[in-house]
Amino acid sequence: MPIQPIDVKYTAVATAEGGRDGRVATDDGRLDVVVNPPKELGGSGSGTNPEQLFAAGFSACFQSALGVVARRQKVDITGSRVTARVGIGGNGSGGFGLEVELAVSIPGTDEATAKQLAEAAHEVCPYSNATRGNIKVGLSVA
């Protein structure tokens, strides 16, 4: 699949020092966090980790995409939530891989509508588009 060009409107910049056991900060200073491997991967677990940051970004982005498609379809999604679970593990080739599970909750909306909105958001969300075909991304509605 060819890479589609985009009209870049904003570029985020972050710099890591010390990899998974250090710190990461954005150039504007709005994010400056200690990162440590989780205990499950042999680390201290005392800071955040890249998978948590990815889950936070994906869930926030997907929530926004859900809002975009809901507005287009004139559906009220007040009180909706998106939870992202990001798993990391060996990929069988000596490296590591990720998988994501997105759980979407839209109170006051029937399951069929919620599912349709979530699937439409999955086509709009930049994180979904970046990961499609690269990692397993599951989508569920509650």
PDB file of all heavy atoms in Angstrom, residues 5-38:
ATOM      1  N   PRO A   5       0.300  11.058   0.945  1.00  0.00           N
ATOM      2  CA  PRO A   5       0.807  12.327   1.467  1.00  0.00           C
ATOM      3  C   PRO A   5      -0.277  13.027   2.288  1.00  0.00           C
ATOM      4  O   PRO A   5      -1.474  12.832   2.058  1.00  0.00           O
ATOM      5  CB  PRO A   5       1.148  13.127   0.204  1.00  0.00           C
ATOM      6  CG  PRO A   5       0.310  12.525  -0.873  1.00  0.00           C
ATOM      7  CD  PRO A   5       0.107  11.080  -0.494  1.00  0.00           C
ATOM      8  N   ILE A   6       0.141  13.800   3.277  1.00  0.00           N
ATOM      9  CA  ILE A   6      -0.809  14.572   4.071  1.00  0.00           C
ATOM     10  C   ILE A   6      -0.394  16.035   4.070  1.00  0.00           C
ATOM     11  O   ILE A   6       0.764  16.367   3.818  1.00  0.00           O
ATOM     12  CB  ILE A   6      -0.918  14.059   5.530  1.00  0.00           C
ATOM     13  CG1 ILE A   6       0.405  14.207   6.272  1.00  0.00           C
ATOM     14  CG2 ILE A   6      -1.405  12.623   5.553  1.00  0.00           C
ATOM     15  CD1 ILE A   6       0.292  13.998   7.771  1.00  0.00           C
ATOM     16  N   ASP A   7      -1.330  16.890   4.362  1.00  0.00           N
ATOM     17  CA  ASP A   7      -1.091  18.324   4.492  1.00  0.00           C
ATOM     18  C   ASP A   7      -0.877  18.583   5.987  1.00  0.00           C
ATOM     19  O   ASP A   7      -1.833  18.783   6.734  1.00  0.00           O
ATOM     20  CB  ASP A   7      -2.297  19.100   3.953  1.00  0.00           C
ATOM     21  CG  ASP A   7      -2.133  20.597   4.063  1.00  0.00           C
ATOM     22  OD1 ASP A   7      -0.994  21.076   4.238  1.00  0.00           O
ATOM     23  OD2 ASP A   7      -3.158  21.301   4.001  1.00  0.00           O
ATOM     24  N   VAL A   8       0.370  18.563   6.445  1.00  0.00           N
ATOM     25  CA  VAL A   8       0.697  18.676   7.867  1.00  0.00           C
ATOM     26  C   VAL A   8       0.267  20.039   8.402  1.00  0.00           C
ATOM     27  O   VAL A   8       0.636  21.077   7.862  1.00  0.00           O
ATOM     28  CB  VAL A   8       2.211  18.457   8.103  1.00  0.00           C
ATOM     29  CG1 VAL A   8       2.576  18.704   9.555  1.00  0.00           C
ATOM     30  CG2 VAL A   8       2.615  17.072   7.659  1.00  0.00           C
ATOM     31  N   LYS A   9      -0.519  20.020   9.491  1.00  0.00           N
ATOM     32  CA  LYS A   9      -0.992  21.241  10.145  1.00  0.00           C
ATOM     33  C   LYS A   9      -0.274  21.492  11.469  1.00  0.00           C
ATOM     34  O   LYS A   9      -0.270  22.594  11.987  1.00  0.00           O
ATOM     35  CB  LYS A   9      -2.499  21.160  10.424  1.00  0.00           C
ATOM     36  CG  LYS A   9      -3.354  20.936   9.196  1.00  0.00           C
ATOM     37  CD  LYS A   9      -3.332  22.123   8.285  1.00  0.00           C
ATOM     38  CE  LYS A   9      -4.319  21.911   7.140  1.00  0.00           C
ATOM     39  NZ  LYS A   9      -4.090  22.793   6.035  1.00  0.00           N
ATOM     40  N   TYR A  10       0.297  20.440  12.048  1.00  0.00           N
ATOM     41  CA  TYR A  10       0.968  20.538  13.341  1.00  0.00           C
ATOM     42  C   TYR A  10       1.959  19.397  13.449  1.00  0.00           C
ATOM     43  O   TYR A  10       1.701  18.300  12.967  1.00  0.00           O
ATOM     44  CB  TYR A  10      -0.065  20.429  14.472  1.00  0.00           C
ATOM     45  CG  TYR A  10       0.543  20.241  15.845  1.00  0.00           C
ATOM     46  CD1 TYR A  10       1.117  21.308  16.528  1.00  0.00           C
ATOM     47  CD2 TYR A  10       0.565  18.993  16.447  1.00  0.00           C
ATOM     48  CE1 TYR A  10       1.688  21.133  17.774  1.00  0.00           C
ATOM     49  CE2 TYR A  10       1.140  18.808  17.693  1.00  0.00           C
ATOM     50  CZ  TYR A  10       1.695  19.881  18.353  1.00  0.00           C
ATOM     51  OH  TYR A  10       2.264  19.706  19.582  1.00  0.00           O
ATOM     52  N   THR A  11       3.092  19.662  14.076  1.00  0.00           N
ATOM     53  CA  THR A  11       4.085  18.630  14.329  1.00  0.00           C
ATOM     54  C   THR A  11       4.444  18.649  15.805  1.00  0.00           C
ATOM     55  O   THR A  11       4.863  19.684  16.327  1.00  0.00           O
ATOM     56  CB  THR A  11       5.359  18.861  13.484  1.00  0.00           C
ATOM     57  OG1 THR A  11       5.011  18.824  12.096  1.00  0.00           O
ATOM     58  CG2 THR A  11       6.420  17.814  13.766  1.00  0.00           C
ATOM     59  N   ALA A  12       4.252  17.526  16.481  1.00  0.00           N
ATOM     60  CA  ALA A  12       4.649  17.385  17.876  1.00  0.00           C
ATOM     61  C   ALA A  12       6.118  16.972  17.915  1.00  0.00           C
ATOM     62  O   ALA A  12       6.567  16.197  17.081  1.00  0.00           O
ATOM     63  CB  ALA A  12       3.789  16.332  18.566  1.00  0.00           C
ATOM     64  N   VAL A  13       6.836  17.494  18.907  1.00  0.00           N
ATOM     65  CA  VAL A  13       8.245  17.169  19.047  1.00  0.00           C
ATOM     66  C   VAL A  13       8.496  16.726  20.488  1.00  0.00           C
ATOM     67  O   VAL A  13       8.153  17.447  21.427  1.00  0.00           O
ATOM     68  CB  VAL A  13       9.148  18.381  18.713  1.00  0.00           C
ATOM     69  CG1 VAL A  13      10.611  18.034  18.904  1.00  0.00           C
ATOM     70  CG2 VAL A  13       8.879  18.874  17.293  1.00  0.00           C
ATOM     71  N   ALA A  14       9.057  15.548  20.652  1.00  0.00           N
ATOM     72  CA  ALA A  14       9.425  15.042  21.972  1.00  0.00           C
ATOM     73  C   ALA A  14      10.811  14.413  21.883  1.00  0.00           C
ATOM     74  O   ALA A  14      11.171  13.835  20.857  1.00  0.00           O
ATOM     75  CB  ALA A  14       8.415  14.010  22.461  1.00  0.00           C
ATOM     76  N   THR A  15      11.549  14.536  22.965  1.00  0.00           N
ATOM     77  CA  THR A  15      12.896  13.986  23.019  1.00  0.00           C
ATOM     78  C   THR A  15      13.011  13.070  24.226  1.00  0.00           C
ATOM     79  O   THR A  15      12.599  13.443  25.326  1.00  0.00           O
ATOM     80  CB  THR A  15      13.940  15.122  23.123  1.00  0.00           C
ATOM     81  OG1 THR A  15      13.792  15.978  21.986  1.00  0.00           O
ATOM     82  CG2 THR A  15      15.352  14.573  23.160  1.00  0.00           C
ATOM     83  N   ALA A  16      13.572  11.885  23.997  1.00  0.00           N
ATOM     84  CA  ALA A  16      13.793  10.923  25.078  1.00  0.00           C
ATOM     85  C   ALA A  16      15.269  10.885  25.426  1.00  0.00           C
ATOM     86  O   ALA A  16      16.134  10.998  24.547  1.00  0.00           O
ATOM     87  CB  ALA A  16      13.329   9.533  24.651  1.00  0.00           C
ATOM     88  N   GLU A  17      15.538  10.731  26.712  1.00  0.00           N
ATOM     89  CA  GLU A  17      16.892  10.529  27.218  1.00  0.00           C
ATOM     90  C   GLU A  17      16.852   9.293  28.097  1.00  0.00           C
ATOM     91  O   GLU A  17      16.009   9.189  28.980  1.00  0.00           O
ATOM     92  CB  GLU A  17      17.346  11.727  28.038  1.00  0.00           C
ATOM     93  CG  GLU A  17      17.421  13.019  27.248  1.00  0.00           C
ATOM     94  CD  GLU A  17      17.694  14.231  28.132  1.00  0.00           C
ATOM     95  OE1 GLU A  17      17.737  14.093  29.374  1.00  0.00           O
ATOM     96  OE2 GLU A  17      17.844  15.323  27.568  1.00  0.00           O
ATOM     97  N   GLY A  18      17.709   8.338  27.843  1.00  0.00           N
ATOM     98  CA  GLY A  18      17.750   7.138  28.664  1.00  0.00           C
ATOM     99  C   GLY A  18      16.783   6.056  28.232  1.00  0.00           C
ATOM    100  O   GLY A  18      16.593   5.076  28.946  1.00  0.00           O
ATOM    101  N   GLY A  19      16.147   6.221  27.077  1.00  0.00           N
ATOM    102  CA  GLY A  19      15.233   5.201  26.564  1.00  0.00           C
ATOM    103  C   GLY A  19      14.095   4.903  27.514  1.00  0.00           C
ATOM    104  O   GLY A  19      13.473   5.808  28.057  1.00  0.00           O
ATOM    105  N   ARG A  20      13.830   3.605  27.736  1.00  0.00           N
ATOM    106  CA  ARG A  20      12.720   3.184  28.591  1.00  0.00           C
ATOM    107  C   ARG A  20      12.990   3.425  30.068  1.00  0.00           C
ATOM    108  O   ARG A  20      12.120   3.214  30.894  1.00  0.00           O
ATOM    109  CB  ARG A  20      12.437   1.698  28.387  1.00  0.00           C
ATOM    110  CG  ARG A  20      11.796   1.400  27.078  1.00  0.00           C
ATOM    111  CD  ARG A  20      11.515  -0.093  26.973  1.00  0.00           C
ATOM    112  NE  ARG A  20      10.533  -0.318  25.953  1.00  0.00           N
ATOM    113  CZ  ARG A  20       9.222  -0.264  26.149  1.00  0.00           C
ATOM    114  NH1 ARG A  20       8.727  -0.022  27.318  1.00  0.00           N
ATOM    115  NH2 ARG A  20       8.409  -0.459  25.148  1.00  0.00           N
ATOM    116  N   ASP A  21      14.201   3.814  30.417  1.00  0.00           N
ATOM    117  CA  ASP A  21      14.552   4.046  31.814  1.00  0.00           C
ATOM    118  C   ASP A  21      15.194   5.429  31.911  1.00  0.00           C
ATOM    119  O   ASP A  21      16.377   5.572  32.188  1.00  0.00           O
ATOM    120  CB  ASP A  21      15.510   2.956  32.304  1.00  0.00           C
ATOM    121  CG  ASP A  21      15.305   2.602  33.756  1.00  0.00           C
ATOM    122  OD1 ASP A  21      14.480   3.245  34.427  1.00  0.00           O
ATOM    123  OD2 ASP A  21      15.986   1.671  34.225  1.00  0.00           O
ATOM    124  N   GLY A  22      14.408   6.453  31.632  1.00  0.00           N
ATOM    125  CA  GLY A  22      14.926   7.817  31.603  1.00  0.00           C
ATOM    126  C   GLY A  22      13.810   8.831  31.726  1.00  0.00           C
ATOM    127  O   GLY A  22      12.983   8.766  32.630  1.00  0.00           O
ATOM    128  N   ARG A  23      13.774   9.730  30.766  1.00  0.00           N
ATOM    129  CA  ARG A  23      12.714  10.730  30.751  1.00  0.00           C
ATOM    130  C   ARG A  23      12.417  11.108  29.312  1.00  0.00           C
ATOM    131  O   ARG A  23      13.242  10.930  28.420  1.00  0.00           O
ATOM    132  CB  ARG A  23      13.058  11.952  31.588  1.00  0.00           C
ATOM    133  CG  ARG A  23      14.015  12.932  30.985  1.00  0.00           C
ATOM    134  CD  ARG A  23      14.308  14.114  31.905  1.00  0.00           C
ATOM    135  NE  ARG A  23      13.568  15.308  31.587  1.00  0.00           N
ATOM    136  CZ  ARG A  23      13.911  16.181  30.650  1.00  0.00           C
ATOM    137  NH1 ARG A  23      14.967  15.968  29.893  1.00  0.00           N
ATOM    138  NH2 ARG A  23      13.190  17.246  30.432  1.00  0.00           N
ATOM    139  N   VAL A  24      11.218  11.650  29.127  1.00  0.00           N
ATOM    140  CA  VAL A  24      10.812  12.139  27.816  1.00  0.00           C
ATOM    141  C   VAL A  24      10.105  13.472  28.028  1.00  0.00           C
ATOM    142  O   VAL A  24       9.359  13.643  28.994  1.00  0.00           O
ATOM    143  CB  VAL A  24       9.923  11.114  27.057  1.00  0.00           C
ATOM    144  CG1 VAL A  24       8.620  10.860  27.767  1.00  0.00           C
ATOM    145  CG2 VAL A  24       9.687  11.542  25.629  1.00  0.00           C
ATOM    146  N   ALA A  25      10.396  14.413  27.143  1.00  0.00           N
ATOM    147  CA  ALA A  25       9.811  15.750  27.272  1.00  0.00           C
ATOM    148  C   ALA A  25       9.508  16.315  25.897  1.00  0.00           C
ATOM    149  O   ALA A  25      10.210  16.030  24.928  1.00  0.00           O
ATOM    150  CB  ALA A  25      10.767  16.680  28.018  1.00  0.00           C
ATOM    151  N   THR A  26       8.470  17.130  25.842  1.00  0.00           N
ATOM    152  CA  THR A  26       8.143  17.826  24.603  1.00  0.00           C
ATOM    153  C   THR A  26       8.899  19.139  24.548  1.00  0.00           C
ATOM    154  O   THR A  26       9.306  19.693  25.581  1.00  0.00           O
ATOM    155  CB  THR A  26       6.626  18.093  24.504  1.00  0.00           C
ATOM    156  OG1 THR A  26       6.199  18.818  25.658  1.00  0.00           O
ATOM    157  CG2 THR A  26       5.851  16.788  24.380  1.00  0.00           C
ATOM    158  N   ASP A  27       9.078  19.641  23.336  1.00  0.00           N
ATOM    159  CA  ASP A  27       9.848  20.872  23.155  1.00  0.00           C
ATOM    160  C   ASP A  27       9.183  22.091  23.784  1.00  0.00           C
ATOM    161  O   ASP A  27       9.843  23.058  24.119  1.00  0.00           O
ATOM    162  CB  ASP A  27      10.137  21.118  21.668  1.00  0.00           C
ATOM    163  CG  ASP A  27       8.891  21.371  20.846  1.00  0.00           C
ATOM    164  OD1 ASP A  27       7.791  20.904  21.225  1.00  0.00           O
ATOM    165  OD2 ASP A  27       9.008  22.017  19.784  1.00  0.00           O
ATOM    166  N   ASP A  28       7.863  22.035  24.008  1.00  0.00           N
ATOM    167  CA  ASP A  28       7.167  23.171  24.622  1.00  0.00           C
ATOM    168  C   ASP A  28       7.077  23.054  26.145  1.00  0.00           C
ATOM    169  O   ASP A  28       6.526  23.926  26.809  1.00  0.00           O
ATOM    170  CB  ASP A  28       5.770  23.338  24.019  1.00  0.00           C
ATOM    171  CG  ASP A  28       4.853  22.162  24.260  1.00  0.00           C
ATOM    172  OD1 ASP A  28       5.241  21.213  24.973  1.00  0.00           O
ATOM    173  OD2 ASP A  28       3.728  22.175  23.715  1.00  0.00           O
ATOM    174  N   GLY A  29       7.595  21.955  26.708  1.00  0.00           N
ATOM    175  CA  GLY A  29       7.610  21.773  28.152  1.00  0.00           C
ATOM    176  C   GLY A  29       6.296  21.322  28.769  1.00  0.00           C
ATOM    177  O   GLY A  29       6.203  21.144  29.976  1.00  0.00           O
ATOM    178  N   ARG A  30       5.272  21.108  27.962  1.00  0.00           N
ATOM    179  CA  ARG A  30       3.968  20.707  28.503  1.00  0.00           C
ATOM    180  C   ARG A  30       3.958  19.263  28.993  1.00  0.00           C
ATOM    181  O   ARG A  30       3.133  18.891  29.810  1.00  0.00           O
ATOM    182  CB  ARG A  30       2.876  20.920  27.475  1.00  0.00           C
ATOM    183  CG  ARG A  30       2.656  22.391  27.218  1.00  0.00           C
ATOM    184  CD  ARG A  30       1.567  22.604  26.192  1.00  0.00           C
ATOM    185  NE  ARG A  30       1.514  24.001  25.885  1.00  0.00           N
ATOM    186  CZ  ARG A  30       0.442  24.753  26.067  1.00  0.00           C
ATOM    187  NH1 ARG A  30      -0.656  24.231  26.542  1.00  0.00           N
ATOM    188  NH2 ARG A  30       0.478  26.024  25.762  1.00  0.00           N
ATOM    189  N   LEU A  31       4.853  18.457  28.476  1.00  0.00           N
ATOM    190  CA  LEU A  31       4.976  17.073  28.919  1.00  0.00           C
ATOM    191  C   LEU A  31       6.435  16.839  29.266  1.00  0.00           C
ATOM    192  O   LEU A  31       7.320  17.086  28.449  1.00  0.00           O
ATOM    193  CB  LEU A  31       4.534  16.100  27.818  1.00  0.00           C
ATOM    194  CG  LEU A  31       4.655  14.625  28.144  1.00  0.00           C
ATOM    195  CD1 LEU A  31       3.583  14.217  29.152  1.00  0.00           C
ATOM    196  CD2 LEU A  31       4.533  13.783  26.894  1.00  0.00           C
ATOM    197  N   ASP A  32       6.674  16.408  30.484  1.00  0.00           N
ATOM    198  CA  ASP A  32       8.028  16.104  30.933  1.00  0.00           C
ATOM    199  C   ASP A  32       7.882  15.020  31.992  1.00  0.00           C
ATOM    200  O   ASP A  32       7.499  15.310  33.125  1.00  0.00           O
ATOM    201  CB  ASP A  32       8.700  17.349  31.505  1.00  0.00           C
ATOM    202  CG  ASP A  32      10.191  17.154  31.770  1.00  0.00           C
ATOM    203  OD1 ASP A  32      10.642  15.988  31.861  1.00  0.00           O
ATOM    204  OD2 ASP A  32      10.899  18.165  31.889  1.00  0.00           O
ATOM    205  N   VAL A  33       8.106  13.772  31.589  1.00  0.00           N
ATOM    206  CA  VAL A  33       7.834  12.658  32.490  1.00  0.00           C
ATOM    207  C   VAL A  33       9.011  11.691  32.575  1.00  0.00           C
ATOM    208  O   VAL A  33       9.771  11.530  31.627  1.00  0.00           O
ATOM    209  CB  VAL A  33       6.570  11.866  32.064  1.00  0.00           C
ATOM    210  CG1 VAL A  33       5.328  12.733  32.170  1.00  0.00           C
ATOM    211  CG2 VAL A  33       6.703  11.314  30.665  1.00  0.00           C
ATOM    212  N   VAL A  34       9.101  11.072  33.749  1.00  0.00           N
ATOM    213  CA  VAL A  34      10.050   9.988  33.959  1.00  0.00           C
ATOM    214  C   VAL A  34       9.424   8.738  33.367  1.00  0.00           C
ATOM    215  O   VAL A  34       8.228   8.477  33.559  1.00  0.00           O
ATOM    216  CB  VAL A  34      10.319   9.803  35.467  1.00  0.00           C
ATOM    217  CG1 VAL A  34      11.141   8.544  35.721  1.00  0.00           C
ATOM    218  CG2 VAL A  34      11.013  11.032  36.032  1.00  0.00           C
ATOM    219  N   VAL A  35      10.212   7.980  32.622  1.00  0.00           N
ATOM    220  CA  VAL A  35       9.742   6.706  32.076  1.00  0.00           C
ATOM    221  C   VAL A  35      10.584   5.586  32.655  1.00  0.00           C
ATOM    222  O   VAL A  35      11.796   5.721  32.819  1.00  0.00           O
ATOM    223  CB  VAL A  35       9.776   6.680  30.522  1.00  0.00           C
ATOM    224  CG1 VAL A  35       8.723   7.587  29.937  1.00  0.00           C
ATOM    225  CG2 VAL A  35      11.137   7.054  29.978  1.00  0.00           C
ATOM    226  N   ASN A  36       9.900   4.512  33.013  1.00  0.00           N
ATOM    227  CA  ASN A  36      10.547   3.306  33.528  1.00  0.00           C
ATOM    228  C   ASN A  36       9.801   2.106  32.994  1.00  0.00           C
ATOM    229  O   ASN A  36       8.576   2.145  32.860  1.00  0.00           O
ATOM    230  CB  ASN A  36      10.501   3.249  35.058  1.00  0.00           C
ATOM    231  CG  ASN A  36      11.211   4.408  35.708  1.00  0.00           C
ATOM    232  OD1 ASN A  36      10.579   5.238  36.343  1.00  0.00           O
ATOM    233  ND2 ASN A  36      12.523   4.492  35.562  1.00  0.00           N
ATOM    234  N   PRO A  37      10.510   1.015  32.751  1.00  0.00           N
ATOM    235  CA  PRO A  37       9.812  -0.201  32.347  1.00  0.00           C
ATOM    236  C   PRO A  37       8.863  -0.648  33.457  1.00  0.00           C
ATOM    237  O   PRO A  37       9.167  -0.480  34.645  1.00  0.00           O
ATOM    238  CB  PRO A  37      10.944  -1.221  32.154  1.00  0.00           C
ATOM    239  CG  PRO A  37      12.182  -0.407  31.959  1.00  0.00           C
ATOM    240  CD  PRO A  37      11.979   0.837  32.762  1.00  0.00           C
ATOM    241  N   PRO A  38       7.723  -1.237  33.072  1.00  0.00           N
ATOM    242  CA  PRO A  38       6.812  -1.750  34.094  1.00  0.00           C
ATOM    243  C   PRO A  38       7.435  -2.952  34.805  1.00  0.00           C
ATOM    244  O   PRO A  38       8.351  -3.601  34.280  1.00  0.00           O
ATOM    245  CB  PRO A  38       5.568  -2.159  33.300  1.00  0.00           C
ATOM    246  CG  PRO A  38       6.056  -2.373  31.909  1.00  0.00           C
ATOM    247  CD  PRO A  38       7.230  -1.470  31.722  1.00  0.00           C
TER     248      PRO A  38
END
